[in-house]
Amino acid sequence: MSNTNNNIESVLVENRVFPPDARALQGARISGMPAYEALCAEAAADFEGFWARQAKEHVVWTQPFTRTLDESNAPFYQWFDDGELNVSANCLDKHMGTPVEHKTAIVFEADDGTVTKISYRDLLGRVSQFANVLKAEGIQKGDRVVIYMPMTIEGVIAMQACARIGATHSVVFGGFSAKALQERIIDAGAVAVITANYQLRGGKELPLKAIVDEGIALGGCESIKTVLVYERTLSDWKRVEGRDKSFTEALDALEGQSHECAPVPVGAEHPLFILYTSGSTGKPKGVQHASGGYLLWAKLTMDWTFDLRPDDVFWCTADIGWITGHTYVAYGPLAAGATQVIFEGIPTFPHAGRFWQMIEQHKVSIFYTAPTAIRSLIKAAESDEKVHPKNWDLSSLRILGSVGEPINPEAWMWYHRNIGHEKCPIVDTFWQTETGGHVITPLPGATPLVPGSCTLPLPGIMAAIVDETGKDLPHGAGGMLVIKRPWPSMIRTIWNDPERFKKSYFPEEMGGTIYLAGDGAVRSEDRGYFRITGRIDDVLNVSGHRLGTMEIESALVAKTDLVAEAAVVGRPDDVTGEAVCAFVVLKRGRPTSDEEARKIAAELRSWVAKEIGPIAKPKDIRFGENLPKTRSGKIMRRLLRSIAKGEAITQDTSTLENPAILEQLGQAY
Ligand code: WT7
């Protein structure tokens, strides 16, 4: 919790308020603040009764639950635990025989612009067939399956098929390295990998299957019996006999057999998935989510936060490799019976107007993206009229969303004016991999909006801001964000590491049962609105991607021929939110020329890309003959943060072992 103090300082006051207009209020599922307040009051008065009612209303149970919340083994909370359901049946089978059956489930736009549509009925067929493939490969309920796929209909099918047979998936983002993949395979004890030969991004063909081979070859992955390969492109891929099969081969092998696959009921607490995310140590955490509570949240927040209506076209731009792509691509929209757009490519290819063009073409009504994308598209629009959103008809839009990092008020205003044409509420949704879905967010038909604020907790979310001892702080005072009562979609444990789960999220000093989010926050004095001020641990947020400083440090020092010591901090960046800055001590001493420094910096960047993935590459690298340390040998990270920002040094440096190195660290490569 090294920079809590920074967060307390930054209490910027934002006075603009945008209440929902008549269009937003009209017919909203939660219309007006009194409706929101009534739900909050209901949750406060009868917490379990409230959640039981929601779970009955939004989830189809094959075996109804009788227990709502079991707190006997807190913080290992259990929800609806004697109930049974199947998550895939809640996303697909549930709609059969309803008007949703023949509705378009997914509008897929490929990198090259090709559009494919699939109805709910056809998606059920594809998921069932693929679930049969998994069964034929011997994969069973409770097995772990790693998914390393591009953004395609097939990626969603792979996840849904796992859910259908009760296998626990662990999706690894296609930008992660072979080493990162190997670590996740080992930690999860996965029996199979589902991948594609290649992925297409920005007109380029990038390998996936070859990275799977490389990851497995690093060793320790003996648990893997099967690798299933979706042939996304015509390019060849290398086959390991007896282990690898293309989707087509695997499906052909089932020729003549039933295309149906009965969904396997699982207990509400059955692990639906594990998703690895960065924490404050070098090792990523396998965030484990349950089935019942998670599915409830995915469905409920589609209704509450996005006010989903039957004729909406929903588009969440997140990749399935992140939690946003789980809850608001693979599960939420399907559970809610929405038509959704899935996009394979990148926002700047073939031009930076691609998002706006797609909104026009597919008549998107709810658009959900990250501040980093907005900021980069603002830049592009400002430098090139041709990609300015005014060139496209965005009148289909009804609601805009933001996710992943704080949205700065300037970007918020641009989004509001240029994309929403001042008619669309912006839901700035605060949540985390661990929360499973939105926890603090405006409701489009109720909450008056304040740019840069995620406003108020959802009904039943007991969010608060406290000091180190867990004591409530008054409005206006910065502190730590906590959630005082459990909620259905919360993280259940860290896979293989329940002790770390307790230590990371439920600090003893606060009594051991209160969820610590890891973010600093402040509530406004007038409305009590929450504003997130940033992480209070050693986690960075780069373009909405979560990275641990320790992970990057470990990667750097693993370059043993070059690096003696490394420290990583974040600094603010106009486009990516935060940028990675590395301070490096080389074994051979400081580079003697700019040219040498640049060469080594380039070598270290590609090394980090190989160890973790390109997203973790340090933007700035600074070389010193040592790192600034106190006499007791502690790295002065606050000082490093000031240097990284290019700030004047105000800290007391008299305790520095060697003050001369401050000078050396002034130059970034
Ligand atoms: C961290 C969680 C939320 C899913 C995608 C990221 C930051 C997220 C907001 C927001 C301010 C936000 C927090 C959080 N964050 N949304 N609306 N306003 N900050 O999930 O990778 O688990 O990262 O992202 O710092 O702790 P994640």
Side-chain angles (χ1 to χ4, degrees), residues 65-87:
F65 61 91
T66 65
R67 284 193 297 267
T68 301
L69 171 62
D70 178 359
E71 302 184 69
S72 58
N73 190 25
F76 299 93
Y77 299 100
Q78 309 259 290
W79 285 90
F80 321 116
D81 73 326
D82 61 347
E84 288 184 4
L85 77 161
N86 179 278
V87 169

Side-chain angles (χ1 to χ4, degrees), residues 10 67 114 212 409 451:
S10 55
R67 284 193 297 267
T114 311
V212 172

Side-chain angles (χ1 to χ4, degrees), residues 12-347:
L12 165 157
V13 182
E14 171 63 64
N15 294 318
R16 290 168 289 200
V17 182
F18 301 83
D21 64 8
R23 180 170 89 146
L25 285 162
Q26 178 67 42
R29 286 173 187 268
I30 300 178
S31 184
M33 282 308 266
Y36 161 73
E37 282 153 8
L39 285 168
C40 294
E42 186 192 339
D46 177 12
F47 191 68
E48 288 197 28
F50 176 74
W51 289 123
R53 175 169 82 81
Q54 301 299 341
K56 283 175 193 154
E57 200 174 300
H58 293 277
V59 177
V60 179
W61 299 90
T62 50
Q63 167 78 47
F65 61 91
T66 65
R67 284 193 297 267
T68 301
L69 171 62
D70 178 359
E71 302 184 69
S72 58
N73 190 25
F76 299 93
Y77 299 100
Q78 309 259 290
W79 285 90
F80 321 116
D81 73 326
D82 61 347
E84 288 184 4
L85 77 161
N86 179 278
V87 169
S88 164
N90 268 275
C91 295
L92 300 167
D93 309 58
K94 177 180 90 179
H95 303 303
M96 298 306 114
T98 79
V100 176
E101 176 171 354
H102 299 291
K103 183 175 171 177
T104 299
I106 298 172
V107 178
F108 172 66
E109 182 163 322
D111 190 58
D112 68 1
T114 311
V115 174
T116 316
K117 295 185 184 178
I118 184 166
S119 71
Y120 272 89
R121 156 127 312 269
D122 292 344
L123 188 60
L124 170 61
R126 298 272 307 274
V127 168
S128 301
Q129 278 181 305
F130 196 69
N132 285 333
V133 164
L134 299 181
K135 285 200 291 193
E137 293 300 325
I139 299 167
Q140 294 174 357
K141 177 173 168 180
D143 284 342
R144 273 83 56 210
V145 175
V146 162
I147 297 177
Y148 189 61
M149 291 279 277
M151 271 305 277
T152 47
I153 295 176
E154 285 69 17
V156 173
I157 290 175
M159 294 166 79
Q160 285 282 340
C162 287
R164 198 162 186 87
I165 64 167
T168 299
H169 60 67
S170 185
V171 184
V172 177
F173 174 57
F176 276 123
S177 67
K179 174 111 186 295
L181 184 64
Q182 175 221 19
E183 282 167 4
R184 286 155 176 76
I185 289 172
I186 295 174
D187 191 76
V191 300
V193 179
I194 306 173
T195 189
N197 60 341
Y198 285 87
Q199 59 180 330
L200 290 169
R201 282 172 73 84
K204 289 198 210 83
E205 219 177 302
L206 305 167
L208 284 175
K209 168 63 166 65
I211 297 174
V212 172
D213 292 345
E214 204 186 311
I216 293 176
L218 289 171
C221 300
E222 292 72 28
S223 57
I224 297 291
K225 302 285 178 274
T226 310
V227 175
L228 292 166
V229 183
Y230 166 53
E231 293 173 306
R232 175 67 191 93
T233 70
L234 297 171
S235 305
D236 269 348
W237 48 279
K238 264 225 310 273
R239 169 190 305 266
V240 174
E241 283 307 331
R243 188 196 74 183
D244 302 352
K245 254 188 209 142
S246 74
F247 274 31
T248 322
E249 288 168 300
L251 287 164
D252 285 352
L254 301 181
E255 210 23 54
Q257 296 180 29
S258 165
H259 284 181
E260 280 169 28
C261 172
V264 175
V266 300
E269 284 295 317
H270 181 74
L272 176 63
F273 65 87
I274 306 165
L275 184 60
Y276 287 85
T277 189
S278 298
S280 41
T281 74
K283 194 175 181 276
K285 309 189 260 203
V287 173
Q288 179 182 322
H289 277 288
S291 298
Y294 174 81
L295 192 264
L296 167 61
W297 213 258
K299 165 69 169 67
L300 191 61
T301 49
M302 287 300 296
D303 287 0
W304 280 356
T305 312
F306 296 120
D307 188 36
L308 189 84
R309 319 255 177 111
D311 49 1
D312 272 317
V313 176
F314 179 82
W315 182 19
C316 165
T317 64
D319 191 282
I320 53 166
W322 309 107
I323 189 70
T324 311
H326 281 58
T327 312
Y328 300 107
V329 177
Y331 293 110
L334 298 178
T339 293
Q340 73 169 319
V341 173
I342 292 185
F343 177 43
E344 180 182 42
I346 57 172

